[in-house]
Amino acid sequence: MANKNKTILLFVVFVIVTFLLIKSPQTSSLPQKIALNLSRLPLKLVGLSLIPFESAVNFNRILGEATLLKKENQQLKLYLMQLQEAAAQNSRLRELLGFKQSSPFALVIARVISFDASNIRRSLVIDKGRNYKIRIGNPVITSDGMVGVVAEVGNSASRILLISDTDFSIAAKVKRSNAIGIISGSLEGVCKLKYLDLDDDIQRGDEIISSGENSRFPAGIPIGTVTDISKEQSGLTVFAVVKPKVRLSALEEVLVIINY
Amino acid sequence: MWFYLFASIFIFLETAFFNHFQFFSVKPNLILLLVTIFSFYFNFDKLKVVLFCLFCGFLKDIFSIASFGTHMFIFSCLGISLSYISQKFLRYNWIFIIPLFILATIGQGVIYVAIQDFFFGGDLSLASLPWKTLILEIIYGLVIFFIFFKVIKRCVIDRLL
């Protein structure tokens, strides 16, 4: 009986404490920050242990990819030379016209070391943090498009909130028609472009890009493609289901924009 | 102690290893499986169950973007309920872990949505439960259960009970 009372008391105390913790996310995130720093090495070890195994299984595919990449690399080198020439010309012309030189993105390349422990939340941990000048709110991309935003920063690791998470939301637009909405995730991990007007010009296959109106993300970063369009339950607005350009569940490396 | 060790290993497997073996973007919920097994076999000692669930919830919370305390709350609610159900209605037969795990997975989703609604006032409702994810989680979890359960039972449960 005493044991039963003790259990009930413990449970009640625990419910109150967890309610307080959940209610104040800023103060309660301390254990998560500590874990972010401490778990970097074991997570990296567990993740890296699979690389030789994966390489052996996918040997033929990797070989084919390497050949293709070599060819692409040569083409890109040529293209880079042309671009450098164009950039130099652009710079000279800007100087002549008196424009301020626009600074390019400052990027940090980071390796993904783990994903969220829950299946209904979408985040990942990268192996770079404050040491590389990464700050909360920095946009995260790959060469294909948008990945998410930095949500927590430790000294040597950071947690990224993915675009498919329920807490993510930024302004985005339809590239073809400039119709503006808010892109956010859902519990199922599906991205939706919400709050579009009923008469907005949007159709399946349209490309969605960041609008730049939210200062967190530079404009023009590809987000995904429209796969479906439906009316909201209220009937006042329309939402589009967006398939992300980046395969979020299979990310290995990402780029963090630390300055733009 | 063995179960605590298993939980600590499983959290690393869940976050860093099973990403490479996702099934329709879903990985097995090993910690929930462990919570179910523990609640089933140690249903006579609720205090033990709550403490283990708190530990598992703590691990899950520090490796997730969800607000700290969310999983601690979810798991201990589930632990208490599952141990009560198994003590009152079930016999000591491992086959009953399967319906308990299905119940736990759905319960986890329901409690999560309720917490979101209560604390953050989102537009989430029971209708917006991620059913596809939960069903895939159940299937994948049960596959893992059939692979590893005999090992866990022989190495740990049979020695403890």
Side-chain angles (χ1 to χ4, degrees):
Chain A
M1 194 64 186
N3 197 17
K4 198 179 175 185
N5 286 341
K6 211 195 278 177
T7 310
I8 293 167
L9 186 71
L10 183 82
F11 189 66
V12 170
V13 170
F14 147 76
V15 167
I16 296 166
V17 172
T18 42
F19 264 50
L20 290 172
L21 282 172
I22 299 169
K23 195 74 186 156
S24 55
Q26 269 143 8
T27 49
S28 66
S29 62
L30 188 67
Q32 285 166 318
K33 275 183 193 159
I34 295 168
L36 199 63
N37 287 325
L38 295 180
S39 61
R40 180 178 169 264
L41 192 64
L43 285 173
K44 223 173 170 178
L45 285 174
V46 175
L48 288 176
S49 63
L50 273 177
I51 290 177
F53 170 74
E54 279 188 332
S55 307
V57 171
N58 301 318
F59 181 73
N60 276 336
R61 189 178 57 82
I62 292 169
L63 200 69
E65 268 178 21
T67 319
L68 272 176
L69 287 172
K70 264 184 197 168
K71 202 183 275 181
E72 197 179 308
N73 188 28
Q74 281 173 348
Q75 285 170 345
L76 286 173
K77 272 184 185 165
L78 199 71
Y79 188 52
L80 182 69
M81 271 160 48
Q82 289 169 345
L83 277 181
Q84 277 170 342
E85 180 55 37
Q89 191 184 37
N90 183 290
S91 176
R92 283 196 302 274
L93 291 172
R94 272 175 180 275
E95 246 171 59
L96 284 174
L97 291 167
F99 280 141
K100 193 183 166 199
Q101 195 71 27
S102 61
S103 58
F105 296 159
L107 298 169
V108 171
I109 302 171
R111 189 175 175 83
V112 176
I113 52 173
S114 84
F115 283 76
D116 202 291
S118 166
N119 275 320
I120 47 182
R121 295 303 302 263
R122 267 92 191 163
S123 72
L124 52 86
V125 177
I126 55 170
D127 66 346
K128 301 272 163 63
R130 210 170 284 123
N131 295 347
Y132 284 82
K133 294 181 181 170
I134 292 174
R135 297 280 177 270
I136 290 177
N138 284 158
V140 182
I141 59 169
T142 67
S143 53
D144 293 329
M146 190 184 289
V147 171
V149 66
V150 178
E152 278 171 21
V153 185
N155 287 332
S156 54
S158 309
R159 189 179 294 282
I160 313 298
L161 182 73
L162 297 180
I163 56 171
S164 52
D165 189 86
T166 44
D167 279 356
F168 186 90
S169 65
I170 63 150
K173 66 181 179 182
V174 181
K175 194 176 179 184
R176 183 180 54 81
S177 65
N178 279 337
I180 289 186
I182 304 284
I183 192 104
S184 68
S186 65
L187 291 179
E188 288 278 19
V190 177
C191 290
K192 287 177 182 172
L193 184 65
K194 295 176 180 170
Y195 311 118
L196 291 161
D197 284 337
L198 291 172
D199 54 355
D200 271 342
D201 181 11
I202 183 165
Q203 59 195 44
R204 282 181 190 185
D206 272 344
E207 200 180 328
I208 308 297
I209 57 170
S210 59
S211 74
E213 285 179 24
N214 180 319
S215 58
R216 282 199 305 190
F217 268 89
I221 293 182
I223 297 173
T225 316
V226 175
T227 55
D228 198 14
I229 302 153
S230 305
K231 257 188 193 177
E232 292 278 5
Q233 273 185 335
S234 64
L236 298 171
T237 53
V238 172
F239 72 88
V241 177
V242 177
K243 188 184 174 202
K245 286 257 180 198
V246 180
R247 220 178 127 214
L248 297 167
S249 58
L251 281 168
E252 283 177 6
E253 272 169 350
V254 292
L255 302 164
V256 184
I257 304 176
I258 54 168
N259 181 25
Y260 71 91
Chain B
M1 197 63 200
W2 274 102
F3 267 93
Y4 286 85
L5 185 69
F6 267 117
S8 310
I9 295 168
F10 278 10
I11 195 71
F12 282 105
L13 291 179
E14 228 178 276
T15 53
F17 183 82
F18 276 100
N19 304 312
H20 302 270
F21 303 99
Q22 290 191 15
F23 177 55
F24 292 102
S25 303
V26 169
K27 48 189 181 295
N29 198 339
L30 300 174
I31 299 289
L32 186 66
L33 195 58
L34 213 56
V35 164
T36 311
I37 295 172
F38 194 90
S39 309
F40 178 73
Y41 280 105
F42 296 92
N43 58 39
F44 52 87
D45 192 346
K46 303 277 187 299
L47 188 65
K48 217 174 191 178
V49 170
V50 171
L51 288 176
F52 182 68
C53 290
L54 278 176
F55 177 72
C56 288
F58 175 79
L59 287 180
K60 201 95 169 167
D61 274 333
I62 59 174
F63 286 100
S64 173
I65 194 108
S67 299
F68 188 74
T70 307
H71 289 97
M72 285 162 80
F73 180 72
I74 293 174
F75 282 176
S76 29
C77 287
L78 288 175
I80 287 280
S81 319
L82 295 180
S83 56
Y84 180 79
I85 292 169
S86 46
Q87 196 175 20
K88 290 277 173 192
F89 307 107
L90 306 177
R91 281 178 293 128
Y92 264 135
N93 187 337
W94 67 269
I95 204 82
F96 289 118
I97 294 173
I98 297 168
L100 278 182
F101 179 64
I102 295 170
L103 201 68
T105 310
I106 296 169
Q108 172 201 233
V110 172
I111 301 171
Y112 182 80
V113 168
I115 289 174
Q116 286 289 313
D117 265 344
F118 186 78
F119 287 109
F120 308 108
D123 58 348
L124 300 165
S125 64
L126 283 182
S128 66
L129 262 179
W131 287 109
K132 191 184 135 200
T133 307
L134 294 179
I135 290 166
L136 289 169
E137 208 174 287
I138 290 168
I139 296 168
Y140 206 167
L142 289 178
V143 170
I144 297 291
F145 169 73
F146 283 114
I147 295 171
F148 290 112
F149 176 67
K150 282 212 167 160
V151 180
I152 294 176
K153 192 170 185 307
R154 200 167 294 171
C155 297
V156 186
I157 298 165
D158 289 347
R159 286 184 191 179
L160 290 174
L161 284 172

